[in-house]
Amino acid sequence: MKELLKPEIQRFIKAHENDDPVTLIFRHRDIHGVSIKVIATQITARKKAKTKLPEWYASQGVMFPPTISMEQCSSEATAKYKASIVSGKSLIDLTGGAGVDTYYLSKSFEKVTYVEQNEELAAITSDNLCSLGATNIICKNDKAESFLKHTPKVDVVYLDPARRDENAQRVFRFDDCEPDVTTILPDLLSRADTILIKASPMLDIESSVRDLKFVHEIHIISVENECKEVLYLLRQSEGDNPLIHTINIRKVGERQSFSFQKSAEISAQAEYGLPDKFLYEPNSSILKAGAFKSIAGVYNIKKLHAHTHLYTSNAEVTDFPGRRFRIIDVVPYNKKAVSSYLSGKKANVSARNFPDEVHAIKKKLGLKDGGDIYLFAFTDKEENKRIAITEKP
Ligand SMILES: C[S@@+](CC[C@H](N)C(=O)[O-])C[C@H]1O[C@@H](n2cnc3c(N)ncnc32)[C@H](O)[C@@H]1O
């Protein structure tokens, strides 16, 4: 693997990074004695790393791990977020993998231990962490369960369990993952006051809180409005009313954040209203968190219907954590009513609490994707099916 770092190989990889790896495999057998298949894997990984791991992509001396580890690893953006919510003297990352989380978390701790059961992966990551200049990380090739038995106490233990079956399209429960955090929970809590666990956004939050028992904080992280991961922060006492932080990290503009407590959401009373001048759609972290009533109260906006998660106001709320539109008109659900507002039959269509799905709405209204008009199909508080015709403010 280390031959990959030879200058002539690195030059080849960079010169061909926009080429199709399969075509390269057909054209070459090896490059300066290194198998083209190994090189092609690096080229594929660099394509992924360009946006997912920009710092690693730009660094000299990083050998990207096998494809599965590149897919499983956190992104630079979400790893940096983790490093902003925990800090202290010592941390153990029990499921180190490609080491992305370990690397960024190491910036918030004096000493970090990386643990990974896969020998080859642990060796690649150890070299990479060295190349990246991380001097406070010790790498161990071990199983989390056995490592936990003999390690001294630390401030924070972090886990990002691997999904056992990467292809299945089902909800991943903790006991579908390796290690199963619910079975090693007593050992985890005996080794650190704070445990941070990363889980898939597909996992139901309420059942996760029940399974993990000691959850004090939940962090739901989206990047560019796509929900990427949910973090559960556990402490020594049982937690039944965790603080829920919703975050949307954006390339342009500040990160959006909104925090609330489950008990506050349960007791909140949202005001309902018909569409006014502005329309708001919360970001995907808020929708995943279910902060449907709290968000209305905090931003002083009205909800369109108990089950329609769209909001409206007369005065513009510029710091709303989600998308915001100016309402041009609200019309019945038919082609004639909509078409007078559209030139070129193009619109960006969304549906919330509506009987038809987006593809059926586009078909019925004769629309194609695109343009500057945003259509929201929704049910209003009087149970009417309506189309809000909107534009960016
Ligand atoms: C989702 S990946 C971690 C990715 C990592 N957070 C990153 O950002 O690069 C999970 C890793 O845990 C490792 N793993 C699974 N079960 C383990 C166990 N019992 N002990 C140690 N490592 C384990 C897998 O080999 C895999 O590399």
Side-chain angles (χ1 to χ4, degrees):
M1 245 336 228
K2 280 202 179 152
E3 306 94 77
L4 281 170
L5 294 180
K6 284 184 185 163
E8 59 274 28
I9 305 290
Q10 284 296 309
R11 270 198 300 278
F12 183 89
I13 289 173
K14 283 176 192 158
H16 293 273
E17 71 176 31
N18 296 319
D19 293 355
D20 173 27
V22 179
T23 312
L24 287 172
I25 290 173
F26 277 118
R27 283 211 188 122
H28 307 266
R29 209 167 64 97
D30 64 73
I31 304 295
H32 301 290
V34 178
S35 153
I36 189 67
K37 285 194 181 151
V38 174
I39 290 177
T41 307
Q42 290 297 304
I43 290 172
T44 306
R46 277 185 72 76
K47 287 183 201 291
K48 197 164 186 64
K50 200 168 180 176
T51 47
K52 192 173 183 179
L53 302 171
E55 185 188 345
W56 288 30
Y57 170 83
S59 297
Q60 303 293 331
V62 171
M63 290 171 291
F64 290 103
T67 315
I68 173 97
S69 305
M70 281 301 290
E71 271 156 20
Q72 285 184 336
C73 73
S74 294
S75 65
E76 177 178 320
T78 60
K80 279 180 173 166
Y81 177 78
K82 288 170 202 118
S84 75
I85 59 167
V86 283
S87 60
K89 281 201 166 68
S90 50
L91 171 133
I92 301 174
D93 182 348
L94 281 176
T95 53
V100 177
D101 284 322
T102 319
Y103 173 64
Y104 288 100
L105 282 164
S106 76
K107 296 174 190 285
S108 295
F109 288 83
E110 285 173 23
K111 195 178 145 223
V112 167
T113 309
Y114 159 102
V115 181
E116 167 57 52
Q117 66 175 6
N118 178 322
E119 190 179 352
E120 193 194 343
L121 182 57
I124 297 171
T125 304
S126 173
D127 287 342
N128 283 341
L129 294 171
C130 235
S131 301
L132 288 160
T135 50
N136 59 341
I137 304 173
I138 298 168
C139 292
K140 300 276 183 194
N141 171 216
D142 203 345
K143 283 205 75 120
E145 297 83 340
S146 49
F147 186 83
L148 263 182
K149 298 273 181 223
H150 56 76
T151 188
K153 243 187 129 170
V154 289
D155 292 336
V156 179
V157 168
Y158 171 67
L159 296 102
D160 173 9
R163 293 168 197 177
R164 282 213 187 96
D165 182 357
E166 281 294 320
N167 300 317
Q169 288 291 304
R170 63 200 155 92
V171 175
F172 292 98
R173 297 159 14 146
F174 289 117
D175 55 11
D176 286 330
C177 294
E178 211 188 330
D180 170 6
V181 285
T182 54
T183 58
I184 59 168
L185 204 53
D187 281 343
L188 291 170
L189 288 161
S190 74
R191 286 293 171 268
D193 287 340
T194 304
I195 316 291
L196 186 65
I197 299 169
K198 172 178 154 183
S200 156
M202 285 194 277
L203 208 61
D204 177 64
I205 292 181
E206 274 185 35
S207 62
S208 302
V209 169
R210 271 197 305 277
D211 289 347
L212 297 173
K213 291 190 191 75
F214 296 81
V215 178
H216 283 247
E217 292 175 27
I218 301 170
H219 298 253
I220 304 170
I221 314 169
S222 294
V223 177
E224 298 295 340
N225 209 21
E226 191 184 329
C227 202
K228 294 287 188 189
E229 45 189 76
V230 179
L231 301 170
Y232 296 91
L233 191 135
L234 282 60
R235 296 197 202 283
Q236 292 293 324
S237 58
E238 293 204 12
D240 57 358
N241 187 22
L243 185 57
I244 306 174
H245 300 281
T246 67
I247 293 91
N248 179 29
I249 302 168
R250 301 183 294 172
K251 272 197 209 93
V252 181
E254 288 201 357
R255 150 201 302 182
Q256 296 173 332
S257 54
F258 177 76
S259 303
F260 69 105
Q261 234 149 353
K262 191 78 199 166
S263 59
E265 173 64 22
I266 292 166
S267 58
Q269 298 284 339
E271 229 185 291
Y272 297 98
L274 291 170
D276 205 329
K277 286 198 179 126
F278 293 93
L279 186 82
Y280 306 90
E281 182 187 52
N283 66 43
S284 46
S285 286
I286 294 171
L287 294 174
K288 171 73 190 166
F292 305 128
K293 292 184 283 173
S294 317
I295 196 90
V298 169
Y299 286 94
N300 196 19
I301 52 182
K302 289 179 183 159
K303 201 167 187 304
L304 294 190
H305 181 285
H307 305 298
T308 304
H309 305 315
L310 291 171
Y311 301 78
T312 191
S313 70
N314 182 277
E316 186 172 4
V317 180
T318 52
D319 59 348
F320 181 77
R323 299 199 299 164
R324 172 172 105 248
F325 302 89
R326 189 191 314 280
I327 299 175
I328 299 169
D329 204 353
V330 178
V331 299
Y333 179 36
N334 65 61
K335 195 169 177 175
K336 194 164 166 253
V338 170
S339 54
S340 60
Y341 290 96
L342 302 171
S343 59
K345 296 188 171 171
K346 277 191 166 182
N348 307 279
V349 180
S350 307
R352 294 258 170 226
N353 187 24
F354 202 72
D356 286 348
E357 306 225 358
V358 169
H359 68 91
I361 299 168
K362 286 197 289 195
K363 198 167 167 205
K364 176 166 167 163
L365 301 179
L367 298 173
K368 287 206 166 56
D369 283 335
D372 298 328
I373 296 290
Y374 294 77
L375 291 192
F376 287 86
F378 67 99
T379 303
D380 73 13
K381 70 182 185 109
E382 287 152 8
E383 303 296 338
N384 299 309
K385 308 300 166 207
R386 290 279 185 256
I387 305 290
I389 297 163
T390 76
E391 61 189 355
K392 291 256 170 87

